[in-house]
Amino acid sequence: MDKTRAVKAKSVNKELFSEIRSKATMLPIKSLIYALMHARHKAMPLRNKEMEPQLNRMGAQIKLLNLVWKDLYDYTDPDPEMLYKNFRYSLNTYVNFFYAMPKEERKEYIASVSRMKTQKGIDPEENLLLIPALMAEKKEQRSNVTSWLGNAIYRAPFKALYDSSKTAMRIAMFKQNSAMRSASNTDLASFSQSMAKLDSKIKDIEDGKINPIDDEALKNDFINEAIRFSDSTDVDLIDFISERIDTRKVVMARATRMVRKARN
């Protein structure tokens, strides 16, 4: 490869890295924005003065997360610690809302979400819109709910990268046997090692072992390795990953439409 082509390839890979990283990082932000928007919309008609401080805090967090979303959409390099701080504060605001909600209104909220067509087929225990309300009904300790839910949402980018890579490799082995033979043992061993590290990180997050700076570095290393693997083999791994986590197609307009549907 001549110098000009090498420079172009490096530029393309840098852009691709930024795109994949942003797409992955958007996943928990998108989830929280939608959850906060939905909960706030459901509570607004109640005009309960006791809930006004919670509603105001949720409104402020939605604005903040939208700014974070815009930065990620524009491929801005995030500060891992600040990003995590905003994430945790928004999550606390979301969970606290349901623990502050009067019992009858909380029951109506749970029934309302259960009736939503967009929520059909999702187990209540796995539904972000329902989990904190259900846990509040069961009088689960608030800090435990926030911690468990936070770990589950925080791990989403890592799990999306891991699951999409695992699926891509399976499809490649099934449909593109010749492509897999073109990958050297070194390439396969290197990427398998990266997947093992990511899998280990997912387990650590589930156990509450979170370090935003180290976690971001590991995520970035994995994306770079996936790009390198795609470049050096005939396996379109990075395209598959990108398609599976393509949050750029799920802009806030869609989340807004989902909230509108919840009114019916």
Side-chain angles (χ1 to χ4, degrees):
M1 181 183 294
D2 60 36
K3 186 175 181 180
T4 302
R5 289 177 61 193
V7 171
K8 287 183 178 179
K10 186 175 181 180
S11 176
V12 169
N13 284 350
K14 185 178 180 180
E15 177 74 11
L16 188 56
F17 167 81
S18 295
E19 182 179 353
I20 298 296
R21 183 195 61 192
S22 292
K23 286 177 179 179
T25 307
M26 281 178 179
L27 294 175
I29 303 301
K30 179 188 72 172
S31 296
L32 276 179
I33 291 175
Y34 174 51
L36 285 163
M37 286 174 61
H38 179 270
R40 191 166 186 269
H41 164 73
K42 285 294 184 182
M44 287 292 283
L46 301 175
R47 302 297 179 187
N48 189 323
K49 290 186 178 181
E50 293 180 7
M51 298 298 294
E52 282 186 8
Q54 300 289 338
L55 292 171
N56 291 337
R57 278 194 283 272
M58 284 199 293
Q61 288 307 117
I62 290 169
K63 289 179 181 178
L64 177 61
L65 290 179
N66 272 318
L67 291 175
V68 173
W69 175 282
K70 183 180 183 301
D71 284 344
L72 291 170
Y73 192 89
D74 294 335
Y75 298 161
T76 300
D77 192 13
D79 176 342
E81 290 187 322
M82 184 58 67
L83 191 65
Y84 184 67
K85 182 179 179 180
N86 289 333
F87 166 78
R88 291 294 305 192
Y89 192 83
S90 295
L91 180 65
N92 287 338
T93 300
Y94 180 59
V95 174
N96 288 345
F97 166 78
F98 292 99
Y99 277 78
M101 183 181 281
K103 188 176 182 64
E104 290 304 314
E105 293 174 5
R106 192 166 57 228
K107 285 185 176 180
E108 174 54 33
Y109 171 87
I110 293 172
S112 175
V113 173
S114 300
R115 290 193 297 266
M116 289 172 60
K117 292 181 180 179
T118 56
Q119 304 304 304
K120 298 297 183 183
I122 304 176
D123 291 337
E125 294 78 10
E126 298 178 354
N127 192 328
L128 178 59
L129 299 184
L130 281 177
I131 291 171
L134 292 173
M135 294 301 99
E137 279 293 295
K138 294 179 180 179
K139 301 187 185 307
E140 293 285 348
Q141 189 170 338
R142 188 184 322 185
S143 59
N144 290 341
V145 176
T146 303
S147 179
W148 178 84
L149 194 56
N151 294 344
I153 300 173
Y154 180 84
R155 75 171 184 169
F158 303 90
K159 197 166 189 315
L161 289 169
Y162 180 82
D163 288 348
S164 58
S165 297
K166 192 173 182 179
T167 302
M169 296 300 283
R170 285 175 177 170
I171 292 175
M173 285 189 279
F174 181 72
K175 292 187 175 181
Q176 301 175 9
N177 237 3
S178 60
M180 289 305 298
R181 285 197 296 270
S182 72
S184 69
N185 289 335
T186 301
D187 288 328
L188 290 171
S190 179
F191 190 65
S192 294
Q193 187 177 34
S194 292
M195 288 191 67
K197 288 180 180 178
L198 195 62
D199 187 37
S200 178
K201 171 48 61 181
I202 291 169
K203 291 181 173 64
D204 283 346
I205 292 171
E206 290 171 349
D207 291 336
K209 300 174 184 176
I210 293 174
N211 185 313
I213 294 177
D214 291 347
D215 297 346
E216 183 68 14
L218 186 144
K219 182 172 66 179
N220 292 347
D221 287 345
F222 181 85
I223 295 170
N224 276 322
E225 181 61 24
I227 292 173
R228 191 203 64 75
F229 183 84
S230 293
D231 283 347
S232 60
T233 70
D234 293 331
V235 183
D236 56 351
L237 172 67
I238 202 66
D239 289 337
F240 190 88
I241 292 174
S242 180
E243 183 179 348
R244 283 298 181 92
I245 62 173
D246 195 357
T247 55
R248 294 180 74 84
K249 293 179 181 177
V250 192
V251 294
M252 287 316 301
R254 180 176 298 182
T256 302
R257 287 198 297 272
M258 291 175 75
V259 171
R260 287 200 191 108
K261 287 182 180 179
R263 297 175 184 174
N264 300 326

